[in-house]
Amino acid sequence: MLLADIGNTHFHIYDGKKVEHLPYAEAIGKYRGKSLQYISVNRDIEKQIGCIEGWKNVSDFMYIPGEYDTMGVDRKALCLSHDNGVFVDAGSAITVDVMERGIYKGGYIFPGIKAMLESYRRISPALEVPLDEHIDLTRLPLTTKGQISYGIIASIKALIEKHKDKKRLYFTGGDGKLLAGFFRDAIYDETLVFKGMMHTLQISEQ
Amino acid sequence: MLLADIGNTHFHIYDGKKVEHLPYAEAIGKYRGKSLQYISVNRDIEKQIGCIEGWKNVSDFMYIPGEYDTMGVDRKALCLSHDNGVFVDAGSAITVDVMERGIYKGGYIFPGIKAMLESYRRISPALEVPLDEHIDLTRLPLTTKGQISYGIIASIKALIEKHKDKKRLYFTGGDGKLLAGFFRDAIYDETLVFKGMMHTLQISEQ
């Protein structure tokens, strides 16, 4: 069984054990001829891969009660991984979605960490700093690097905690592990989108 | 009495009654020959205006116990306006600073609202939306525009409220009025930086 989540720049491919991140051409070259089910947020890619034998677009199966019109299919698959929880996908953007008893309750979107840092840099060269990945959130910082890192991480954390109630917190995406580290009992799992796909397509985990 | 806060693009000039926002050249043309005290975050401007008769750079007087090395002089002046409070300057960047009994306790920095919206747009055309200035923060949104507006406003609000305790909340800057509207009992005052200057320079309000 091969599952693919096609994003705006890469294929993310799951073979039931590990996730592989490949540029479009490489993914197509490597997996052409194999049986593969995919979801895609990139409509243009359909022209290139829609006719590949054995590849099936299963995006339309990703339905959640409560979903909204323009909700990305990768977010829907992520939310379909569990009936209850707060789901954070920390990539180029950071999406936060709340699920209760299998129903989508809404969410919100932040720019991704890289986009945020770029945004500070564009405002002023004085604000061009790397993220302090170990920022102490228990005290107000007293350096530019600290105050920017705190602005990014502590604001995301404060808002997520506000809606958490007793729900489990699930993180995925490139910065998911980093962000999860700032929460107690958060679960980081890079296969969540694929778990949502498997659950929906009723593929049993091997 | 004329006071000026020289930013990265404009002069902000206060005559004791109202604040005027002028491009550099216009401000210099209009107020050359008048007596004026200024603070400036723009080091280069000093070459142009340092020799103007009657104009005095008072940046070095803006000192707060607890301040840090690279703290902007406009932020210091803002904090000097009151001994206690949370001070938000919502401009090209949004700075949040906490003062207790005349001592600076630290703060943090967000990108400004315009920079945030630009940041979403750069991530994907699908995320190019205007801010919903009347976003309802009491429920999770179900549209892209709502989820982005919520991401921006609710995260700033959640973090500010976390540090507020019983302090007063003061807002200034171009988006200060908009942001203040999302808080109970927040004070919006576009003259706060000048009040800090007057307080420090012991100029009495007329």
Side-chain angles (χ1 to χ4, degrees), chain A residues 33-54:
Chain A
K34 302 268 171 65
S35 172
L36 178 149
Q37 300 185 77
Y38 67 89
I39 57 173
S40 170
V41 294
N42 183 341
R43 285 171 193 276
D44 296 335
I45 195 76
E46 197 59 26
K47 293 171 206 151
Q48 278 184 64
I49 64 172
C51 54
I52 297 180
E53 204 176 331

Side-chain angles (χ1 to χ4, degrees), chain A residues 135-192:
Chain A
I135 179 80
D136 177 358
L137 301 183
T138 64
R139 61 184 67 193
L140 286 173
L142 287 164
T143 64
T144 303
K145 182 180 171 182
Q147 295 200 336
I148 283 177
S149 303
Y150 192 97
I152 296 174
I153 305 284
S155 62
I156 294 174
K157 184 169 190 244
L159 190 53
I160 289 176
E161 283 181 341
K162 208 173 159 181
H163 294 289
K164 193 185 167 293
D165 293 330
K166 287 171 184 167
K167 294 186 197 70
R168 268 194 186 278
L169 259 180
Y170 297 95
F171 286 81
T172 196
D175 289 322
K177 199 169 189 172
L178 168 73
L179 277 186
F182 288 97
F183 293 81
R184 280 172 183 269
D185 305 324
I187 294 163
Y188 168 73
D189 181 351
E190 65 167 347
T191 72
L192 285 171

Side-chain angles (χ1 to χ4, degrees), chain A residues 3 11 23 26 30-31 44 61 66 77 82 98 107 154 182-183 201:
Chain A
L3 296 174
F11 276 55
E26 204 175 321
K30 185 167 178 183
Y31 290 104
D44 296 335
F61 294 94
H82 298 86
V98 176
F182 288 97
F183 293 81
L201 302 170

Side-chain angles (χ1 to χ4, degrees), chain B residues 116-148:
Chain B
M116 289 284 277
L117 291 171
E118 167 77 7
S119 174
Y120 288 100
R121 193 187 64 74
R122 284 177 183 277
I123 294 167
S124 161
L127 302 183
E128 181 169 6
V129 295
L131 187 77
D132 177 354
E133 298 190 356
H134 306 288
I135 179 81
D136 176 0
L137 301 183
T138 64
R139 60 185 66 193
L140 285 173
L142 286 164
T143 63
T144 303
K145 182 181 172 183
Q147 295 200 337
I148 283 177

